[in-house]
Amino acid sequence: MGGKIKNILIVLLTFLPCIFILLLFHAGFEFSLHKESKQHAVKVVKEIDSILNYGEESNNLALNLISDGDSCEKIYSEMRINVARIPYVRTINLAHGNNIYCTSLWGAAEFHSDSMKYISGKLYLMPGSNVEQKYPLIAVRTVIGENVALSGIDGRYIKQLLSEQKNNSFVISLAIGDSWLTHNNEFTHDNPNKSFLAVQRVESKNFPFSVYSGFNSSSSWLAFWQEDQFYIVVILLFQILFSIFCWWQLTRPRPLYLELERAIRKNEFVPYAQPVVDSVTQEIIGVEILMRWKHPYQGIVRPDLFIPQAEDSGLIIPMTHMLLKETSRQLREYKHCLPAPFHVGVNISPQHCNSSILLDECKYFVDGVSNHNIILVLELTEREALDVSEFTQDLFHDLKILGCKIAIDDFGTGHSSLVNLQKINLDYLKIDQIFVKNIGVDCTSEHLIESTVELAKRLSLRIIAEGVETEAQAEYLKKQGIENLQGFLFAKPIPLGEFLQNYNQNINVIDND
C-alpha cells in the first residue's frame, strides 16, 4: 500500500505539472495561431479593398462619359483607355438596368446582367467570363440613376494575395455571398476552411465580402509539435530530470535516527506476540511481546534492523513506552478470556534502569490492563552491560512491589554475570536459542543448558527456553525440568490483536464442546 502511495505521489509531483505546462504552452500556441490568422485576414481585406476601389474608380469614369444622346461608339475608345490605365481592371461595361449595351472589349453589345446576383448590389463573384470561362472574375457594380457600370477584376490578381501566406502555413480564402475563391483561384460554393485550425473571418467595411484565414493543419497538437519542437523537448527533458530528482528524494534512505523519530511520532511501532507454553501440557501460559516497525513504504521491518540503533540513540525508551501502552490497550479488551496467571514478557534495555520512567510506564500498564492475573515480565536484554547501583536495586524493588517480574533475556550470550544474579532479585532466566538449536548436535551446548538449569534451581528461578523448533528439542528441555518453552514449534510471532482474537475464538470453541 505504501509503495502505491509513493508511486501516486511521484506521478502527482512530476507528470501532472508537465501536463499542465504543456497544456499552458499549447493554449498559448493556439492563441497565437488565432491572433496571427486574424492579422493575415485583416491585411488581405485591406489589399482587396484597394483593388476593388480601382473597380469603382473605373466605373465612375465610365459613367462620367455618358451624356444625353451619346452612343457606345463615342465612348468606347475612352473606356478602353481607362482599362489600360487603371490597375487590375480587365473590362468595363455599361448597362441600363439589367441590359449591358457597351463593353470595353467589343464595343456595342447586348448582354443580360442579373442585378439580383450582386451582393448588396455591388459585388458578384463569377466562376468565369465569356472570354476566359475557367478563370473566376469579380464584377464591381456602380449605379447612378438608371445608368450602371460594371468593372471586371480578374481572380488571378486576388489569387496572388491569397496565396502569399501559404508559405507561412496560413491558407486564405475570399467569400462573396455564398461563393468562395480559394488560394488556388478555384471557384466553389463549399466552405474551404472546414479542415483548418484557428479560422478567423474579417469583413470588409467598404465592400460586401469577407476574408477567411486558417492554419493548414488538421491537429493543433501536431501543429504545436511541428512549430515548437525545441521548447517541447526542453520541457520534457526538464520534467524527466525533475521526476528523477523527486524519485530520488522519496526513495533515498534517510538517516535511521531521523526515520526512528518520525516513526515514533506516527506510532509505527506495533506489538507482535509469540506464545510461551507449558513444557508438559504445551498449553499457552503467556506471550513475549516483540516490537515490529510497520513502515509505510517498506512494510514490516525486523527488530534486528533498528533496535541496535534505537538503543545507541536512546530512542528505545520512547519506543518501549509506545509498545507498553499499545499492549495494555489490546490486552484490556481480551482480559476476560486469558488464563490466570498470564505471562506478558516485554524487553527492556539497561538504559531503562537509569531513571524512574520505567516505573511510571509499568504503573500505566498495570492500571491499563486492570487485571492482577496479567503479569508483566520485564526481560533485561544483554546487548549492553547493566550497572547495578543502589538506584537500580531500589527500582527493581519498587517494580516487584507493583507486581512485575524480572527476567534476564538470552542468558549466557551477553553481559550477564554472577554478580548481577546476586544483586538483582530475578524471577526468570531465558536460555538463548543458540544453545537450544545445538541440542543433539553439540554436547557443549547441552552441558551449558544443564548447568544453567542447575544454577536456576539453586537460585529458585524459573527457566524459559527460546527458539524451540523441533519435538526432540522440546522433549529434551522438558526432561531437564525447564518449565516454559517458546519457539516456531508452537507459533511464529503475529500481531498481538490477531493472537488475542484467535485465542479467544479457540477458547469459545472449547467451551462450546
Side-chain angles (χ1 to χ4, degrees), residues 299-364:
I300 300 300
V301 181
R302 301 194 319 268
D304 58 297
L305 298 179
F306 64 89
I307 290 293
Q309 177 72 17
E311 290 180 337
D312 292 342
S313 63
L315 293 176
I316 190 65
I317 294 178
M319 289 163 59
T320 303
H321 171 67
M322 182 186 304
L323 192 72
L324 283 169
K325 183 178 179 180
E326 181 61 19
T327 300
S328 172
R329 185 190 68 79
Q330 295 190 30
L331 286 173
R332 184 170 60 248
E333 298 179 17
Y334 291 91
K335 63 183 180 181
H336 60 280
C337 67
L338 299 175
F342 188 73
H343 166 125
V344 179
V346 177
N347 289 329
I348 63 170
S349 74
Q351 296 180 41
H352 288 88
C353 304
N354 297 326
S355 72
S356 59
I357 294 177
L358 178 61
L359 181 62
D360 295 335
E361 293 175 351
C362 292
K363 284 181 180 178
Y364 183 91

Side-chain angles (χ1 to χ4, degrees), residues 413-462:
T413 62
H415 294 86
S416 60
S417 68
L418 296 179
V419 175
N420 288 346
L421 294 180
Q422 183 181 7
K423 292 182 179 181
I424 302 174
N425 185 10
L426 295 172
D427 299 284
Y428 294 93
L429 292 180
K430 297 193 72 173
I431 297 178
D432 188 75
Q433 59 184 344
I434 192 171
F435 302 119
V436 175
K437 180 180 180 180
N438 290 321
I439 292 175
V441 178
D442 182 8
C443 294
T444 302
S445 294
E446 294 180 1
H447 293 326
L448 290 172
I449 290 174
E450 293 167 6
S451 299
T452 301
V453 171
E454 182 65 25
L455 176 63
K457 288 179 179 179
R458 292 181 179 274
L459 297 176
S460 299
L461 303 177
R462 295 176 66 86

Side-chain angles (χ1 to χ4, degrees), residues 71-88:
S71 63
C72 180
E73 287 76 6
K74 293 183 178 182
I75 59 176
Y76 166 68
S77 59
E78 290 293 333
M79 290 173 58
R80 291 181 64 87
I81 292 173
N82 288 339
V83 168
R85 182 173 59 84
I86 299 175
Y88 304 110

Side-chain angles (χ1 to χ4, degrees), residues 181-199:
L181 186 65
T182 70
H183 66 282
N184 293 323
N185 203 37
E186 293 179 356
F187 176 90
T188 179
H189 288 294
D190 295 327
N191 187 343
N193 301 287
K194 296 178 181 178
S195 60
F196 301 145
L197 302 175
V199 176

Side-chain angles (χ1 to χ4, degrees), residues 49-327:
D49 272 344
S50 66
I51 292 176
L52 297 180
N53 282 333
Y54 285 112
E56 276 200 335
E57 179 185 346
S58 68
N59 287 342
N60 291 326
L61 289 174
L63 291 171
N64 289 333
L65 294 175
I66 301 173
S67 61
D68 293 338
D70 285 345
S71 63
C72 180
E73 287 76 6
K74 293 183 178 182
I75 59 176
Y76 166 68
S77 59
E78 290 293 333
M79 290 173 58
R80 291 181 64 87
I81 292 173
N82 288 339
V83 168
R85 182 173 59 84
I86 299 175
Y88 304 110
V89 176
R90 296 294 302 274
T91 64
I92 302 176
N93 305 276
L94 292 174
H96 290 297
N98 292 328
N99 296 314
I100 296 174
Y101 67 89
C102 186
T103 72
S104 61
L105 289 177
W106 299 293
E110 292 186 7
F111 296 105
H112 178 75
S113 175
D114 188 356
S115 62
M116 299 300 293
K117 292 183 178 180
Y118 285 80
I119 306 302
S120 299
K122 298 185 72 173
L123 290 183
Y124 174 36
L125 178 59
M126 305 166 58
S129 64
N130 292 332
V131 178
E132 295 180 306
Q133 296 181 357
K134 295 182 179 181
Y135 292 96
L137 184 76
I138 298 177
V140 181
R141 184 172 181 266
T142 305
V143 180
I144 297 179
E146 293 184 355
N147 296 316
V148 178
L150 306 171
S151 293
I153 307 294
D154 195 327
R156 282 174 287 195
Y157 297 131
I158 307 298
K159 173 193 172 184
Q160 199 169 10
L161 295 177
L162 303 182
S163 60
E164 281 180 356
Q165 315 302 324
K166 190 175 180 183
N167 292 335
N168 295 327
S169 299
F170 284 91
V171 179
I172 314 295
S173 57
L174 169 68
I176 300 176
D178 62 352
S179 300
W180 297 80
L181 186 65
T182 70
H183 66 282
N184 293 323
N185 203 37
E186 293 179 356
F187 176 90
T188 179
H189 288 294
D190 295 327
N191 187 343
N193 301 287
K194 296 178 181 178
S195 60
F196 301 145
L197 302 175
V199 176
Q200 293 291 307
R201 175 177 177 263
V202 176
E203 291 186 27
S204 169
K205 296 180 180 179
N206 302 317
F207 295 94
F209 73 89
S210 298
V211 170
Y212 288 75
S213 173
F215 191 76
N216 188 15
S217 178
S218 58
S219 168
S220 62
W221 283 100
L222 178 61
F224 179 44
W225 168 253
Q226 291 173 341
E227 291 291 319
D228 295 318
Q229 288 184 25
F230 173 77
Y231 300 104
I232 296 174
V233 170
V234 169
I235 291 171
L236 293 176
L237 180 61
F238 272 100
Q239 189 56 57
I240 291 172
L241 294 176
F242 181 64
S243 300
I244 294 173
F245 175 76
C246 289
W247 177 84
W248 175 72
Q249 284 289 334
L250 290 172
T251 57
R252 71 187 180 101
R254 299 177 63 192
L256 185 56
Y257 177 82
L258 297 178
E259 272 293 284
L260 292 175
E261 283 190 326
R262 183 199 58 79
I264 292 173
R265 292 193 302 270
K266 297 294 183 179
N267 295 321
E268 293 176 4
F269 296 105
V270 296
Y272 269 52
Q274 186 175 36
V276 177
V277 304
D278 185 282
S279 62
V280 177
T281 65
Q282 294 195 358
E283 293 180 352
I284 295 176
I285 57 93
V287 292
E288 180 181 1
I289 299 299
L290 303 168
M291 186 183 297
R292 294 292 185 269
W293 184 0
K294 194 175 183 181
H295 197 280
Y297 300 143
Q298 300 176 16
I300 300 300
V301 181
R302 301 194 319 268
D304 58 297
L305 298 179
F306 64 89
I307 290 293
Q309 177 72 17
E311 290 180 337
D312 292 342
S313 63
L315 293 176
I316 190 65
I317 294 178
M319 289 163 59
T320 303
H321 171 67
M322 182 186 304
L323 192 72
L324 283 169
K325 183 178 179 180
E326 181 61 19
T327 300

